[in-house]
Amino acid sequence: MRLEEHMMADKSDDDGQTDLLTKTKPKTKRPPLYKVLLLNDDFTPMEFVVHVLERFFGLNHAQAFEIMLTVHKKGLAVVGVFSHEIAETKVAQVMDFARRHQHPLQCTMEKEE
């Protein structure tokens, strides 16, 4: 085999390799996100709601106070948007914490459109 033929043979092998590497991956669909909502009631103290927002959602006092006021004035507020598992966990944590402190605070989740 002459040197040129040997180089040509190597080149065709390389082309085969690059074809495999350049194939595009199928696009994966993003998992749906869920809004976590707090609902207003006439019995849960505002300070407790602020505490819940700081503790379970990592908000600072000013942010927590603003959301608490929105819940109070509008009847509900979106506290955050998370994957299904995290949203479910946050709802369970808030509901459990509220019950242990004997407050009727309601926390729900709904799929984001």
Side-chain angles (χ1 to χ4, degrees):
M1 189 188 275
R2 290 190 321 211
L3 183 59
E4 290 120 20
E5 288 173 348
H6 186 65
M7 288 176 75
M8 293 287 279
D10 285 348
K11 184 158 178 27
S12 67
D13 286 346
D14 287 346
D15 287 346
Q17 291 292 335
T18 48
D19 285 348
L20 291 175
L21 295 174
T22 55
K23 287 190 175 165
T24 56
K25 291 181 180 175
K27 295 214 184 225
T28 53
K29 203 172 174 189
R30 283 190 126 160
L33 294 175
Y34 291 80
K35 296 185 281 192
V36 173
L37 304 130
L38 275 185
L39 308 179
N40 190 43
D41 65 74
D42 294 332
F43 305 101
T44 305
M46 291 180 174
E47 300 79 30
F48 184 80
V49 175
V50 170
H51 178 68
V52 162
L53 292 167
E54 292 170 341
R55 179 172 179 161
F56 297 106
F57 298 94
L59 301 175
N60 66 37
H61 189 75
Q63 293 168 321
F65 193 81
E66 281 298 311
I67 290 177
M68 177 277 297
L69 281 180
T70 302
V71 172
H72 181 69
K73 291 175 185 172
K74 298 192 174 182
L76 61 89
V78 175
V79 184
V81 179
F82 308 95
S83 69
H84 186 270
E85 292 77 16
I86 293 174
E88 209 170 43
T89 301
K90 298 265 186 209
V91 168
Q93 288 173 327
V94 170
M95 294 294 287
D96 181 58
F97 190 69
R99 296 305 155 262
R100 281 189 284 125
H101 289 86
Q102 300 177 343
H103 294 301
L105 182 65
Q106 292 293 308
C107 185
T108 62
M109 62 188 264
E110 65 181 44
K111 195 172 184 177
E112 193 176 45
E113 298 304 318

